PDB file of all heavy atoms in Angstrom:
ATOM      1  N   ALA A  28     -27.736  61.083   2.437  1.00 35.00           N
ATOM      2  CA  ALA A  28     -27.237  62.088   3.370  1.00 35.00           C
ATOM      3  C   ALA A  28     -27.728  61.814   4.776  1.00 35.00           C
ATOM      4  O   ALA A  28     -27.008  61.993   5.753  1.00 35.00           O
ATOM      5  CB  ALA A  28     -27.679  63.486   2.915  1.00 35.00           C
ATOM      6  N   ALA A  29     -28.956  61.353   4.881  1.00 41.00           N
ATOM      7  CA  ALA A  29     -29.507  61.102   6.212  1.00 41.00           C
ATOM      8  C   ALA A  29     -28.836  59.920   6.887  1.00 41.00           C
ATOM      9  O   ALA A  29     -28.674  59.914   8.106  1.00 41.00           O
ATOM     10  CB  ALA A  29     -31.012  60.848   6.110  1.00 41.00           C
ATOM     11  N   MET A  30     -28.429  58.910   6.090  1.00 51.00           N
ATOM     12  CA  MET A  30     -27.792  57.739   6.681  1.00 51.00           C
ATOM     13  C   MET A  30     -26.295  57.910   6.867  1.00 51.00           C
ATOM     14  O   MET A  30     -25.663  57.165   7.594  1.00 51.00           O
ATOM     15  CB  MET A  30     -28.028  56.510   5.794  1.00 51.00           C
ATOM     16  CG  MET A  30     -29.418  55.921   5.917  1.00 51.00           C
ATOM     17  SD  MET A  30     -29.733  55.205   7.526  1.00 51.00           S
ATOM     18  CE  MET A  30     -28.824  53.669   7.401  1.00 51.00           C
ATOM     19  N   ALA A  31     -25.698  58.906   6.212  1.00 47.00           N
ATOM     20  CA  ALA A  31     -24.254  59.075   6.286  1.00 47.00           C
ATOM     21  C   ALA A  31     -23.840  59.512   7.675  1.00 47.00           C
ATOM     22  O   ALA A  31     -24.623  60.093   8.432  1.00 47.00           O
ATOM     23  CB  ALA A  31     -23.802  60.117   5.258  1.00 47.00           C
ATOM     24  N   LEU A  32     -22.597  59.263   8.003  1.00 45.00           N
ATOM     25  CA  LEU A  32     -22.066  59.725   9.276  1.00 45.00           C
ATOM     26  C   LEU A  32     -22.024  61.241   9.272  1.00 45.00           C
ATOM     27  O   LEU A  32     -21.723  61.871   8.263  1.00 45.00           O
ATOM     28  CB  LEU A  32     -20.665  59.174   9.498  1.00 45.00           C
ATOM     29  CG  LEU A  32     -20.608  57.695   9.797  1.00 45.00           C
ATOM     30  CD1 LEU A  32     -19.184  57.205   9.709  1.00 45.00           C
ATOM     31  CD2 LEU A  32     -21.174  57.423  11.175  1.00 45.00           C
ATOM     32  N   PRO A  33     -22.282  61.889  10.429  1.00 42.00           N
ATOM     33  CA  PRO A  33     -22.335  63.347  10.456  1.00 42.00           C
ATOM     34  C   PRO A  33     -20.964  63.978  10.273  1.00 42.00           C
ATOM     35  O   PRO A  33     -20.021  63.648  10.969  1.00 42.00           O
ATOM     36  CB  PRO A  33     -22.906  63.650  11.849  1.00 42.00           C
ATOM     37  CG  PRO A  33     -22.561  62.456  12.669  1.00 42.00           C
ATOM     38  CD  PRO A  33     -22.597  61.294  11.733  1.00 42.00           C
ATOM     39  N   GLY A  34     -20.855  64.887   9.291  1.00 40.00           N
ATOM     40  CA  GLY A  34     -19.670  65.722   9.176  1.00 40.00           C
ATOM     41  C   GLY A  34     -19.866  66.985   9.977  1.00 40.00           C
ATOM     42  O   GLY A  34     -20.710  67.045  10.876  1.00 40.00           O
ATOM     43  N   ALA A  35     -19.142  68.045   9.651  1.00 33.00           N
ATOM     44  CA  ALA A  35     -19.220  69.275  10.453  1.00 33.00           C
ATOM     45  C   ALA A  35     -20.620  69.873  10.416  1.00 33.00           C
ATOM     46  O   ALA A  35     -21.191  70.229  11.448  1.00 33.00           O
ATOM     47  CB  ALA A  35     -18.186  70.270   9.937  1.00 33.00           C
ATOM     48  N   ALA A  36     -21.197  69.972   9.193  1.00 35.00           N
ATOM     49  CA  ALA A  36     -22.526  70.576   9.093  1.00 35.00           C
ATOM     50  C   ALA A  36     -23.572  69.733   9.789  1.00 35.00           C
ATOM     51  O   ALA A  36     -24.434  70.248  10.517  1.00 35.00           O
ATOM     52  CB  ALA A  36     -22.899  70.761   7.613  1.00 35.00           C
ATOM     53  N   GLU A  37     -23.491  68.408   9.578  1.00 39.00           N
ATOM     54  CA  GLU A  37     -24.476  67.525  10.202  1.00 39.00           C
ATOM     55  C   GLU A  37     -24.333  67.543  11.716  1.00 39.00           C
ATOM     56  O   GLU A  37     -25.319  67.476  12.454  1.00 39.00           O
ATOM     57  CB  GLU A  37     -24.311  66.096   9.673  1.00 39.00           C
ATOM     58  CG  GLU A  37     -24.722  65.929   8.216  1.00 39.00           C
ATOM     59  CD  GLU A  37     -23.585  66.251   7.272  1.00 39.00           C
ATOM     60  OE1 GLU A  37     -22.551  66.760   7.743  1.00 39.00           O
ATOM     61  OE2 GLU A  37     -23.738  66.005   6.067  1.00 39.00           O
ATOM     62  N   ALA A  38     -23.089  67.630  12.214  1.00 38.00           N
ATOM     63  CA  ALA A  38     -22.887  67.658  13.660  1.00 38.00           C
ATOM     64  C   ALA A  38     -23.535  68.892  14.267  1.00 38.00           C
ATOM     65  O   ALA A  38     -24.105  68.842  15.363  1.00 38.00           O
ATOM     66  CB  ALA A  38     -21.393  67.634  13.977  1.00 38.00           C
ATOM     67  N   MET A  39     -23.452  70.028  13.555  1.00 34.00           N
ATOM     68  CA  MET A  39     -24.097  71.249  14.057  1.00 34.00           C
ATOM     69  C   MET A  39     -25.604  71.062  14.095  1.00 34.00           C
ATOM     70  O   MET A  39     -26.275  71.456  15.042  1.00 34.00           O
ATOM     71  CB  MET A  39     -23.737  72.437  13.171  1.00 34.00           C
ATOM     72  CG  MET A  39     -22.276  72.883  13.285  1.00 34.00           C
ATOM     73  SD  MET A  39     -21.900  74.265  12.216  1.00 34.00           S
ATOM     74  CE  MET A  39     -22.982  75.534  12.894  1.00 34.00           C
ATOM     75  N   ALA A  40     -26.151  70.417  13.045  1.00 38.00           N
ATOM     76  CA  ALA A  40     -27.594  70.208  13.004  1.00 38.00           C
ATOM     77  C   ALA A  40     -28.042  69.249  14.096  1.00 38.00           C
ATOM     78  O   ALA A  40     -29.112  69.393  14.671  1.00 38.00           O
ATOM     79  CB  ALA A  40     -28.001  69.677  11.631  1.00 38.00           C
ATOM     80  N   ALA A  41     -27.189  68.238  14.365  1.00 41.00           N
ATOM     81  CA  ALA A  41     -27.549  67.254  15.375  1.00 41.00           C
ATOM     82  C   ALA A  41     -27.329  67.753  16.785  1.00 41.00           C
ATOM     83  O   ALA A  41     -27.755  67.107  17.733  1.00 41.00           O
ATOM     84  CB  ALA A  41     -26.741  65.979  15.149  1.00 41.00           C
ATOM     85  N   GLN A  42     -26.672  68.880  16.936  1.00 53.00           N
ATOM     86  CA  GLN A  42     -26.411  69.484  18.235  1.00 53.00           C
ATOM     87  C   GLN A  42     -25.725  68.510  19.171  1.00 53.00           C
ATOM     88  O   GLN A  42     -24.575  68.163  18.956  1.00 53.00           O
ATOM     89  CB  GLN A  42     -27.703  70.055  18.820  1.00 53.00           C
ATOM     90  CG  GLN A  42     -28.256  71.220  17.987  1.00 53.00           C
ATOM     91  CD  GLN A  42     -29.454  71.881  18.610  1.00 53.00           C
ATOM     92  OE1 GLN A  42     -29.646  71.823  19.819  1.00 53.00           O
ATOM     93  NE2 GLN A  42     -30.267  72.508  17.807  1.00 53.00           N
ATOM     94  N   GLY A  43     -26.439  68.013  20.201  1.00 93.00           N
ATOM     95  CA  GLY A  43     -25.789  67.253  21.251  1.00 93.00           C
ATOM     96  C   GLY A  43     -25.523  65.798  20.953  1.00 93.00           C
ATOM     97  O   GLY A  43     -24.981  65.100  21.799  1.00 93.00           O
ATOM     98  N   PHE A  44     -25.914  65.263  19.801  1.00 97.00           N
ATOM     99  CA  PHE A  44     -25.655  63.859  19.470  1.00 97.00           C
ATOM    100  C   PHE A  44     -24.203  63.728  19.005  1.00 97.00           C
ATOM    101  O   PHE A  44     -23.872  64.014  17.867  1.00 97.00           O
ATOM    102  CB  PHE A  44     -26.628  63.374  18.400  1.00 97.00           C
ATOM    103  CG  PHE A  44     -28.057  63.315  18.867  1.00 97.00           C
ATOM    104  CD1 PHE A  44     -28.971  64.275  18.473  1.00 97.00           C
ATOM    105  CD2 PHE A  44     -28.474  62.300  19.723  1.00 97.00           C
ATOM    106  CE1 PHE A  44     -30.290  64.225  18.907  1.00 97.00           C
ATOM    107  CE2 PHE A  44     -29.793  62.246  20.160  1.00 97.00           C
ATOM    108  CZ  PHE A  44     -30.700  63.214  19.757  1.00 97.00           C
ATOM    109  N   THR A  45     -23.338  63.289  19.901  1.00 96.00           N
ATOM    110  CA  THR A  45     -21.894  63.367  19.656  1.00 96.00           C
ATOM    111  C   THR A  45     -21.285  62.114  19.055  1.00 96.00           C
ATOM    112  O   THR A  45     -20.209  62.181  18.463  1.00 96.00           O
ATOM    113  CB  THR A  45     -21.161  63.656  20.974  1.00 96.00           C
ATOM    114  OG1 THR A  45     -21.391  62.558  21.883  1.00 96.00           O
ATOM    115  CG2 THR A  45     -21.630  64.960  21.593  1.00 96.00           C
ATOM    116  N   HIS A  46     -21.903  60.950  19.201  1.00 97.00           N
ATOM    117  CA  HIS A  46     -21.256  59.701  18.807  1.00 97.00           C
ATOM    118  C   HIS A  46     -22.186  58.766  18.046  1.00 97.00           C
ATOM    119  O   HIS A  46     -22.048  57.544  18.121  1.00 97.00           O
ATOM    120  CB  HIS A  46     -20.688  58.986  20.031  1.00 97.00           C
ATOM    121  CG  HIS A  46     -19.457  59.638  20.579  1.00 97.00           C
ATOM    122  ND1 HIS A  46     -19.520  60.749  21.379  1.00 97.00           N
ATOM    123  CD2 HIS A  46     -18.138  59.341  20.418  1.00 97.00           C
ATOM    124  CE1 HIS A  46     -18.279  61.112  21.710  1.00 97.00           C
ATOM    125  NE2 HIS A  46     -17.436  60.283  21.135  1.00 97.00           N
ATOM    126  N   GLY A  47     -23.117  59.338  17.304  1.00 97.00           N
ATOM    127  CA  GLY A  47     -23.973  58.506  16.482  1.00 97.00           C
ATOM    128  C   GLY A  47     -24.943  57.664  17.289  1.00 97.00           C
ATOM    129  O   GLY A  47     -25.370  58.040  18.391  1.00 97.00           O
ATOM    130  N   VAL A  48     -25.285  56.499  16.754  1.00 98.00           N
ATOM    131  CA  VAL A  48     -26.254  55.606  17.376  1.00 98.00           C
ATOM    132  C   VAL A  48     -25.719  54.179  17.313  1.00 98.00           C
ATOM    133  O   VAL A  48     -24.810  53.874  16.550  1.00 98.00           O
ATOM    134  CB  VAL A  48     -27.637  55.691  16.693  1.00 98.00           C
ATOM    135  CG1 VAL A  48     -28.266  57.053  16.895  1.00 98.00           C
ATOM    136  CG2 VAL A  48     -27.518  55.354  15.200  1.00 98.00           C
ATOM    137  N   ALA A  49     -26.310  53.328  18.118  1.00 98.00           N
ATOM    138  CA  ALA A  49     -25.938  51.913  18.128  1.00 98.00           C
ATOM    139  C   ALA A  49     -27.120  51.107  18.628  1.00 98.00           C
ATOM    140  O   ALA A  49     -28.039  51.641  19.262  1.00 98.00           O
ATOM    141  CB  ALA A  49     -24.712  51.672  19.008  1.00 98.00           C
ATOM    142  N   SER A  50     -27.081  49.806  18.348  1.00 98.00           N
ATOM    143  CA  SER A  50     -28.130  48.916  18.845  1.00 98.00           C
ATOM    144  C   SER A  50     -27.516  47.594  19.258  1.00 98.00           C
ATOM    145  O   SER A  50     -26.417  47.237  18.830  1.00 98.00           O
ATOM    146  CB  SER A  50     -29.218  48.693  17.785  1.00 98.00           C
ATOM    147  OG  SER A  50     -28.708  47.967  16.678  1.00 98.00           O
ATOM    148  N   GLY A  51     -28.227  46.880  20.106  1.00 98.00           N
ATOM    149  CA  GLY A  51     -27.725  45.595  20.581  1.00 98.00           C
ATOM    150  C   GLY A  51     -28.792  44.821  21.324  1.00 98.00           C
ATOM    151  O   GLY A  51     -29.970  45.190  21.346  1.00 98.00           O
ATOM    152  N   GLU A  52     -28.355  43.726  21.960  1.00 98.00           N
ATOM    153  CA  GLU A  52     -29.242  42.853  22.733  1.00 98.00           C
ATOM    154  C   GLU A  52     -30.503  42.480  21.960  1.00 98.00           C
ATOM    155  O   GLU A  52     -31.626  42.608  22.468  1.00 98.00           O
ATOM    156  CB  GLU A  52     -29.610  43.500  24.074  1.00 98.00           C
ATOM    157  CG  GLU A  52     -28.426  43.857  24.941  1.00 98.00           C
ATOM    158  CD  GLU A  52     -27.580  42.645  25.323  1.00 98.00           C
ATOM    159  OE1 GLU A  52     -28.091  41.515  25.300  1.00 98.00           O
ATOM    160  OE2 GLU A  52     -26.390  42.835  25.631  1.00 98.00           O
ATOM    161  N   PRO A  53     -30.378  41.999  20.734  1.00 98.00           N
ATOM    162  CA  PRO A  53     -31.576  41.683  19.957  1.00 98.00           C
ATOM    163  C   PRO A  53     -32.313  40.473  20.498  1.00 98.00           C
ATOM    164  O   PRO A  53     -31.706  39.505  20.968  1.00 98.00           O
ATOM    165  CB  PRO A  53     -31.014  41.388  18.560  1.00 98.00           C
ATOM    166  CG  PRO A  53     -29.631  40.878  18.827  1.00 98.00           C
ATOM    167  CD  PRO A  53     -29.138  41.670  20.002  1.00 98.00           C
ATOM    168  N   GLY A  54     -33.621  40.534  20.451  1.00 98.00           N
ATOM    169  CA  GLY A  54     -34.486  39.397  20.701  1.00 98.00           C
ATOM    170  C   GLY A  54     -35.427  39.253  19.531  1.00 98.00           C
ATOM    171  O   GLY A  54     -35.361  40.020  18.561  1.00 98.00           O
ATOM    172  N   ALA A  55     -36.330  38.300  19.597  1.00 98.00           N
ATOM    173  CA  ALA A  55     -37.295  38.150  18.514  1.00 98.00           C
ATOM    174  C   ALA A  55     -38.270  39.317  18.472  1.00 98.00           C
ATOM    175  O   ALA A  55     -38.788  39.657  17.395  1.00 98.00           O
ATOM    176  CB  ALA A  55     -38.056  36.834  18.672  1.00 98.00           C
ATOM    177  N   ASN A  56     -38.509  39.948  19.610  1.00 98.00           N
ATOM    178  CA  ASN A  56     -39.523  41.006  19.677  1.00 98.00           C
ATOM    179  C   ASN A  56     -39.011  42.300  20.289  1.00 98.00           C
ATOM    180  O   ASN A  56     -39.801  43.192  20.609  1.00 98.00           O
ATOM    181  CB  ASN A  56     -40.731  40.517  20.482  1.00 98.00           C
ATOM    182  CG  ASN A  56     -41.297  39.218  19.964  1.00 98.00           C
ATOM    183  OD1 ASN A  56     -41.206  38.178  20.618  1.00 98.00           O
ATOM    184  ND2 ASN A  56     -41.848  39.240  18.751  1.00 98.00           N
ATOM    185  N   SER A  57     -37.689  42.420  20.465  1.00 98.00           N
ATOM    186  CA  SER A  57     -37.169  43.612  21.136  1.00 98.00           C
ATOM    187  C   SER A  57     -35.752  43.905  20.673  1.00 98.00           C
ATOM    188  O   SER A  57     -35.063  43.046  20.124  1.00 98.00           O
ATOM    189  CB  SER A  57     -37.193  43.420  22.656  1.00 98.00           C
ATOM    190  OG  SER A  57     -36.331  42.362  23.040  1.00 98.00           O
ATOM    191  N   ILE A  58     -35.334  45.149  20.931  1.00 98.00           N
ATOM    192  CA  ILE A  58     -33.975  45.587  20.610  1.00 98.00           C
ATOM    193  C   ILE A  58     -33.597  46.714  21.568  1.00 98.00           C
ATOM    194  O   ILE A  58     -34.460  47.493  21.992  1.00 98.00           O
ATOM    195  CB  ILE A  58     -33.875  46.056  19.131  1.00 98.00           C
ATOM    196  CG1 ILE A  58     -32.411  46.157  18.687  1.00 98.00           C
ATOM    197  CG2 ILE A  58     -34.613  47.354  18.916  1.00 98.00           C
ATOM    198  CD1 ILE A  58     -31.736  44.843  18.423  1.00 98.00           C
ATOM    199  N   LEU A  59     -32.321  46.802  21.916  1.00 98.00           N
ATOM    200  CA  LEU A  59     -31.810  47.898  22.739  1.00 98.00           C
ATOM    201  C   LEU A  59     -31.205  48.951  21.817  1.00 98.00           C
ATOM    202  O   LEU A  59     -30.415  48.632  20.926  1.00 98.00           O
ATOM    203  CB  LEU A  59     -30.754  47.380  23.718  1.00 98.00           C
ATOM    204  CG  LEU A  59     -30.128  48.363  24.705  1.00 98.00           C
ATOM    205  CD1 LEU A  59     -29.727  47.649  25.992  1.00 98.00           C
ATOM    206  CD2 LEU A  59     -28.906  49.089  24.128  1.00 98.00           C
ATOM    207  N   LEU A  60     -31.579  50.223  22.034  1.00 98.00           N
ATOM    208  CA  LEU A  60     -31.059  51.340  21.243  1.00 98.00           C
ATOM    209  C   LEU A  60     -30.179  52.219  22.127  1.00 98.00           C
ATOM    210  O   LEU A  60     -30.453  52.400  23.314  1.00 98.00           O
ATOM    211  CB  LEU A  60     -32.203  52.168  20.654  1.00 98.00           C
ATOM    212  CG  LEU A  60     -33.241  51.405  19.835  1.00 98.00           C
ATOM    213  CD1 LEU A  60     -34.310  52.356  19.323  1.00 98.00           C
ATOM    214  CD2 LEU A  60     -32.583  50.653  18.679  1.00 98.00           C
ATOM    215  N   TRP A  61     -29.137  52.801  21.527  1.00 98.00           N
ATOM    216  CA  TRP A  61     -28.133  53.578  22.266  1.00 98.00           C
ATOM    217  C   TRP A  61     -27.824  54.870  21.533  1.00 98.00           C
ATOM    218  O   TRP A  61     -27.755  54.903  20.293  1.00 98.00           O
ATOM    219  CB  TRP A  61     -26.864  52.745  22.374  1.00 98.00           C
ATOM    220  CG  TRP A  61     -25.694  53.384  23.090  1.00 98.00           C
ATOM    221  CD1 TRP A  61     -25.283  53.134  24.361  1.00 98.00           C
ATOM    222  CD2 TRP A  61     -24.765  54.347  22.564  1.00 98.00           C
ATOM    223  NE1 TRP A  61     -24.161  53.886  24.667  1.00 98.00           N
ATOM    224  CE2 TRP A  61     -23.829  54.642  23.568  1.00 98.00           C
ATOM    225  CE3 TRP A  61     -24.642  54.999  21.329  1.00 98.00           C
ATOM    226  CZ2 TRP A  61     -22.787  55.558  23.401  1.00 98.00           C
ATOM    227  CZ3 TRP A  61     -23.609  55.924  21.148  1.00 98.00           C
ATOM    228  CH2 TRP A  61     -22.698  56.180  22.180  1.00 98.00           C
ATOM    229  N   THR A  62     -27.606  55.935  22.300  1.00 98.00           N
ATOM    230  CA  THR A  62     -27.022  57.157  21.752  1.00 98.00           C
ATOM    231  C   THR A  62     -26.381  57.936  22.886  1.00 98.00           C
ATOM    232  O   THR A  62     -26.510  57.576  24.063  1.00 98.00           O
ATOM    233  CB  THR A  62     -28.064  58.017  21.010  1.00 98.00           C
ATOM    234  OG1 THR A  62     -27.384  58.989  20.207  1.00 98.00           O
ATOM    235  CG2 THR A  62     -28.992  58.735  22.000  1.00 98.00           C
ATOM    236  N   ARG A  63     -25.695  59.001  22.519  1.00 98.00           N
ATOM    237  CA  ARG A  63     -25.131  59.927  23.508  1.00 98.00           C
ATOM    238  C   ARG A  63     -25.546  61.335  23.127  1.00 98.00           C
ATOM    239  O   ARG A  63     -25.369  61.749  21.981  1.00 98.00           O
ATOM    240  CB  ARG A  63     -23.614  59.830  23.560  1.00 98.00           C
ATOM    241  CG  ARG A  63     -22.973  60.705  24.640  1.00 98.00           C
ATOM    242  CD  ARG A  63     -21.472  60.437  24.761  1.00 98.00           C
ATOM    243  NE  ARG A  63     -20.904  61.122  25.917  1.00 98.00           N
ATOM    244  CZ  ARG A  63     -20.309  62.319  25.864  1.00 98.00           C
ATOM    245  NH1 ARG A  63     -20.213  62.960  24.696  1.00 98.00           N
ATOM    246  NH2 ARG A  63     -19.816  62.872  26.958  1.00 98.00           N
ATOM    247  N   TYR A  64     -26.099  62.057  24.116  1.00 98.00           N
ATOM    248  CA  TYR A  64     -26.537  63.436  23.890  1.00 98.00           C
ATOM    249  C   TYR A  64     -25.906  64.305  24.959  1.00 98.00           C
ATOM    250  O   TYR A  64     -26.300  64.261  26.135  1.00 98.00           O
ATOM    251  CB  TYR A  64     -28.057  63.541  23.933  1.00 98.00           C
ATOM    252  CG  TYR A  64     -28.582  64.905  23.533  1.00 98.00           C
ATOM    253  CD1 TYR A  64     -28.817  65.203  22.196  1.00 98.00           C
ATOM    254  CD2 TYR A  64     -28.825  65.893  24.495  1.00 98.00           C
ATOM    255  CE1 TYR A  64     -29.295  66.454  21.815  1.00 98.00           C
ATOM    256  CE2 TYR A  64     -29.300  67.153  24.118  1.00 98.00           C
ATOM    257  CZ  TYR A  64     -29.525  67.429  22.782  1.00 98.00           C
ATOM    258  OH  TYR A  64     -29.981  68.665  22.390  1.00 98.00           O
ATOM    259  N   ALA A  65     -24.892  65.074  24.586  1.00 96.00           N
ATOM    260  CA  ALA A  65     -24.160  65.900  25.546  1.00 96.00           C
ATOM    261  C   ALA A  65     -24.868  67.250  25.703  1.00 96.00           C
ATOM    262  O   ALA A  65     -25.114  67.949  24.719  1.00 96.00           O
ATOM    263  CB  ALA A  65     -22.733  66.106  25.074  1.00 96.00           C
ATOM    264  N   ALA A  66     -25.195  67.591  26.934  1.00 95.00           N
ATOM    265  CA  ALA A  66     -25.886  68.840  27.234  1.00 95.00           C
ATOM    266  C   ALA A  66     -25.548  69.258  28.663  1.00 95.00           C
ATOM    267  O   ALA A  66     -25.046  68.447  29.450  1.00 95.00           O
ATOM    268  CB  ALA A  66     -27.396  68.655  27.076  1.00 95.00           C
ATOM    269  N   PRO A  67     -25.789  70.519  29.016  1.00 94.00           N
ATOM    270  CA  PRO A  67     -25.454  70.975  30.372  1.00 94.00           C
ATOM    271  C   PRO A  67     -26.232  70.265  31.475  1.00 94.00           C
ATOM    272  O   PRO A  67     -25.795  70.259  32.631  1.00 94.00           O
ATOM    273  CB  PRO A  67     -25.800  72.472  30.332  1.00 94.00           C
ATOM    274  CG  PRO A  67     -25.784  72.845  28.887  1.00 94.00           C
ATOM    275  CD  PRO A  67     -26.259  71.626  28.166  1.00 94.00           C
ATOM    276  N   SER A  68     -27.363  69.687  31.125  1.00 95.00           N
ATOM    277  CA  SER A  68     -28.178  68.998  32.133  1.00 95.00           C
ATOM    278  C   SER A  68     -28.771  67.732  31.523  1.00 95.00           C
ATOM    279  O   SER A  68     -28.673  67.502  30.311  1.00 95.00           O
ATOM    280  CB  SER A  68     -29.300  69.911  32.630  1.00 95.00           C
ATOM    281  OG  SER A  68     -30.143  70.295  31.558  1.00 95.00           O
ATOM    282  N   ASP A  69     -29.397  66.914  32.362  1.00 97.00           N
ATOM    283  CA  ASP A  69     -30.064  65.721  31.856  1.00 97.00           C
ATOM    284  C   ASP A  69     -31.080  66.111  30.782  1.00 97.00           C
ATOM    285  O   ASP A  69     -31.770  67.135  30.900  1.00 97.00           O
ATOM    286  CB  ASP A  69     -30.784  64.994  32.987  1.00 97.00           C
ATOM    287  CG  ASP A  69     -29.821  64.436  34.019  1.00 97.00           C
ATOM    288  OD1 ASP A  69     -28.600  64.502  33.793  1.00 97.00           O
ATOM    289  OD2 ASP A  69     -30.302  63.941  35.057  1.00 97.00           O
ATOM    290  N   THR A  70     -31.166  65.281  29.747  1.00 97.00           N
ATOM    291  CA  THR A  70     -32.030  65.604  28.616  1.00 97.00           C
ATOM    292  C   THR A  70     -32.920  64.424  28.294  1.00 97.00           C
ATOM    293  O   THR A  70     -32.447  63.306  28.097  1.00 97.00           O
ATOM    294  CB  THR A  70     -31.202  65.966  27.368  1.00 97.00           C
ATOM    295  OG1 THR A  70     -30.288  67.016  27.688  1.00 97.00           O
ATOM    296  CG2 THR A  70     -32.105  66.407  26.233  1.00 97.00           C
ATOM    297  N   ARG A  71     -34.220  64.697  28.214  1.00 98.00           N
ATOM    298  CA  ARG A  71     -35.185  63.663  27.862  1.00 98.00           C
ATOM    299  C   ARG A  71     -35.267  63.546  26.340  1.00 98.00           C
ATOM    300  O   ARG A  71     -35.542  64.521  25.641  1.00 98.00           O
ATOM    301  CB  ARG A  71     -36.573  63.993  28.430  1.00 98.00           C
ATOM    302  CG  ARG A  71     -37.535  62.817  28.459  1.00 98.00           C
ATOM    303  CD  ARG A  71     -37.122  61.809  29.499  1.00 98.00           C
ATOM    304  NE  ARG A  71     -38.105  60.716  29.623  1.00 98.00           N
ATOM    305  CZ  ARG A  71     -37.873  59.602  30.275  1.00 98.00           C
ATOM    306  NH1 ARG A  71     -36.689  59.421  30.874  1.00 98.00           N
ATOM    307  NH2 ARG A  71     -38.790  58.663  30.362  1.00 98.00           N
TER     308      ARG A  71
END
């Protein structure tokens, strides 16, 4: 359930995470992580 894509209930629990997660630019010791968090203001 935790790894599955969010359905309606999971989307409510995840609140502002609208488009899942992604990663890229791999190196031997590093990776770039991506997400989208929609909110009325900038969110840390």
